[in-house]
Amino acid sequence: MKNLFIKTLIFISAATLASNAKAQTDYVITVKGDSIPCKITTPLVGRPKYKVDSTSDSKKIKPDEIREYYIARKDFRERSVYTDSTSKPIFVTVIEKGRISLYELITSHYNNGFNTTTTEWYAGKGSDYVTDLKTSSLFTFKSKQKRKDILGEMLKDNKEVYEKYIADGKFSFKQIHNLVHLYNTGKPLPPKDYD
């Protein structure tokens, strides 16, 4: 009898996991707000494309047509935003989604035989217009203090998180992510994501 119970429990768990796996699917959200389930492919060169089951053609994912897209098998989400330095929308990777959202843009530069990679983080609060917050680059147009002040202003309406930010005085990528996650959820990042 005990074996039958264990086998039944395993079967139910497997069925639940399978159903959850099928429930997650790729999607795009248009600039009009329509959510479209689809299959997204990412070629080695060029823009990602999406294909709806009812059509035979794939369409390029363009930031002026698609507000957001999600690739379920990679748990990867990109959003179309306007940055301080762009007049047209660009895609950035979503790091944290909530009342304050964090985005990442990684760019590679090849110059005189050297390949360098720059990581830039942007933040937005209820808007598709985001501001640069943190960069791995040696050069930036905003001072570190100005960028720290911008984050402080975003956090200010949550007294507990704002006071933690001021008390800690840190401005690393991990610290920013932890503070924004704490602001959005009321919980710090799990240690595996934060350490």
Side-chain angles (χ1 to χ4, degrees):
M1 186 71 170
K2 190 175 183 180
N3 282 342
L4 179 61
F5 175 75
I6 291 173
K7 288 179 182 179
T8 304
L9 188 59
I10 291 171
F11 175 77
I12 291 171
S13 296
T16 302
L17 288 172
S19 117
N20 286 343
K22 284 185 178 181
Q24 294 206 351
T25 183
D26 298 351
Y27 66 80
V28 296
I29 299 175
T30 67
V31 292
K32 294 177 182 177
D34 298 326
S35 183
I36 304 169
C38 59
K39 175 70 175 163
I40 297 176
T41 56
T42 52
L44 288 175
V45 178
R47 295 185 189 274
K49 296 178 181 182
Y50 73 97
K51 182 179 176 300
V52 179
D53 285 341
S54 61
T55 64
S56 59
D57 295 335
S58 291
K59 292 179 75 172
K60 287 184 181 177
I61 298 177
K62 299 177 184 176
D64 57 340
E65 296 173 1
I66 301 297
R67 178 179 293 146
E68 183 177 304
Y69 69 92
Y70 177 73
I71 304 172
R73 67 190 173 281
K74 296 179 181 180
D75 192 23
F76 179 78
R77 181 184 325 273
E78 290 222 330
R79 185 158 176 91
S80 170
V81 298
Y82 295 88
T83 70
D84 296 334
S85 59
T86 60
S87 59
K88 294 182 178 182
I90 62 168
F91 280 117
V92 289
T93 303
V94 178
I95 301 293
E96 180 78 29
K97 189 174 181 178
R99 287 177 47 213
I100 297 176
S101 292
L102 278 178
Y103 305 100
E104 180 177 67
L105 179 65
I106 297 175
T107 50
S108 293
H109 309 278
Y110 186 78
N111 192 9
N112 295 329
F114 293 101
N115 191 26
T116 58
T117 301
T118 302
T119 301
E120 296 173 272
W121 275 18
Y122 298 88
K125 193 170 183 180
S127 173
D128 290 337
Y129 291 87
V130 299
T131 188
D132 54 324
L133 204 57
K134 181 81 177 155
T135 183
S136 64
S137 174
L138 297 175
F139 306 103
T140 182
F141 294 108
K142 289 181 190 165
S143 71
K144 182 177 181 179
Q145 188 58 52
K146 172 106 173 130
R147 291 177 283 125
K148 286 177 81 170
D149 291 345
I150 289 168
L151 179 59
E153 280 301 312
M154 289 184 180
L155 298 172
K156 221 172 205 171
D157 61 347
N158 184 321
K159 185 178 178 185
E160 180 184 327
V161 176
Y162 179 72
E163 286 176 356
K164 177 175 175 35
Y165 173 59
I166 297 302
D168 290 349
K170 296 178 183 174
F171 198 65
S172 67
F173 285 106
K174 288 180 182 180
Q175 185 69 12
I176 292 167
H177 191 184
N178 187 50
L179 286 165
V180 171
H181 186 78
L182 182 60
Y183 177 93
N184 288 335
T185 67
K187 300 174 185 172
L189 280 173
K192 67 175 181 60
D193 294 338
Y194 186 53
D195 292 332

